[in-house]
Amino acid sequence: MANILDVNYDNNMSDKDIAMKKGIELLKNLVRNPKLTHDRRKQIVNETVIKMHEQTGKPLVLAAFHGLTEVVEMLLGFDLVDVEQTCNLILGKQEAKNATALWAATYSGHLDVVNLLVFAEADVNHATKTKSSPLRTACFRGRFDIVQVLVEAGADVNAPNSEGNSCLMAASYSGHLNVVDFLLKSGASVDQKDFYGKIEKVFISLVNGKTT
């Protein structure tokens, strides 16, 4: 049976600082408990479900999503979690199913957390249920800094999502010219088609006149 931990905080206060402090205190108490073996600590953390605002999910994924860098550092540093653990994330009216911590950090734009997870050897190609990879997400959102990190770590620049849309299509459609240029230099194909027959070159033409 999962442990449910509510770490909601007052929006009138410093959201990130309070959540970070609360998470670190809980982890320190867990790590310092002499009655627990390492395996038992890890079991407790991995069976715990976190509630934070509209999100309910796994500790590492939600810490990454909210940019709680020190919490992520502790979870990874004490080997308390599986770096590939997944949960569903509510994103407005949409839901990302089976999202990893790396995907979550990428979506929210937390470069420091992305670097931590990549250093911890998180799978840079671990995609969501709809086959949205961390790289494709970074491309769509125009996070050039994160795109660079993921590609350098071995992310597949040509991996499509469940509709056949590639990273290059995502960046082109969103008008992120710097990302498009980087992907092309990194070996992205211009001849891929999505499941509706649209080709990469058509998407690339959409960035004409755009400067992001």
Side-chain angles (χ1 to χ4, degrees):
M1 184 175 179
N3 306 301
I4 299 178
L5 179 62
D6 192 331
V7 293
N8 283 307
Y9 37 81
D10 188 342
N11 276 325
N12 294 322
M13 304 177 76
S14 175
D15 288 3
K16 192 171 180 179
D17 289 344
I18 293 174
M20 186 97 74
K21 182 179 179 181
K22 195 168 185 178
I24 290 172
E25 287 176 352
L26 291 168
L27 288 172
K28 282 182 177 179
N29 290 336
L30 182 66
V31 170
R32 290 171 179 170
N33 189 333
K35 296 181 180 179
L36 299 176
T37 64
H38 175 72
D39 287 343
R40 179 56 181 151
R41 292 187 187 107
K42 194 167 185 176
Q43 181 184 10
I44 291 172
V45 173
N46 282 285
E47 289 180 353
T48 296
V49 174
I50 303 294
K51 292 180 68 177
M52 187 181 296
H53 287 325
E54 76 281 7
Q55 305 288 355
T56 300
K58 294 293 186 177
L60 182 62
V61 180
L62 291 194
F65 182 77
H66 289 283
L68 307 182
T69 309
E70 291 181 49
V71 174
V72 173
E73 283 182 316
M74 287 194 69
L75 288 169
L76 296 175
F78 286 101
D79 187 29
L80 294 173
V81 291
D82 177 0
V83 73
E84 301 302 328
Q85 69 173 204
T86 66
C87 68
N88 299 343
L89 294 172
I90 304 299
L91 309 173
K93 295 182 179 180
Q94 298 182 323
E95 183 178 29
K97 295 184 177 181
N98 301 340
T100 63
L102 183 56
W103 192 96
T106 297
Y107 178 89
S108 297
H110 300 302
L111 177 61
D112 52 347
V113 178
V114 169
N115 281 323
L116 282 173
L117 292 164
V118 168
F119 183 77
E121 299 184 348
D123 182 357
V124 292
N125 292 309
H126 192 154
T128 64
K129 186 176 181 180
T130 58
K131 296 185 179 180
S132 173
S133 68
L135 178 59
R136 188 184 178 284
T137 299
C139 291
F140 183 80
R141 299 179 74 80
R143 287 304 304 251
F144 181 62
D145 51 353
I146 295 178
V147 169
Q148 289 179 299
V149 170
L150 294 174
V151 170
E152 289 171 5
D156 184 352
V157 296
N158 291 310
N161 68 1
S162 59
E163 294 186 343
N165 292 318
S166 68
C167 297
L168 191 55
M169 287 179 178
S172 300
Y173 181 81
S174 300
H176 303 304
L177 184 58
N178 56 343
V179 176
V180 170
D181 183 60
F182 181 76
L183 289 173
L184 291 172
K185 291 177 180 177
S186 299
S189 170
V190 296
D191 295 315
Q192 281 183 274
K193 291 183 180 180
D194 66 13
F195 293 166
Y196 304 98
K198 295 179 181 177
I199 196 167
E200 298 272 18
K201 293 174 183 176
V202 175
F203 280 87
I204 294 173
S205 69
L206 294 175
V207 301
N208 288 338
K210 298 183 179 180
T211 59
T212 56

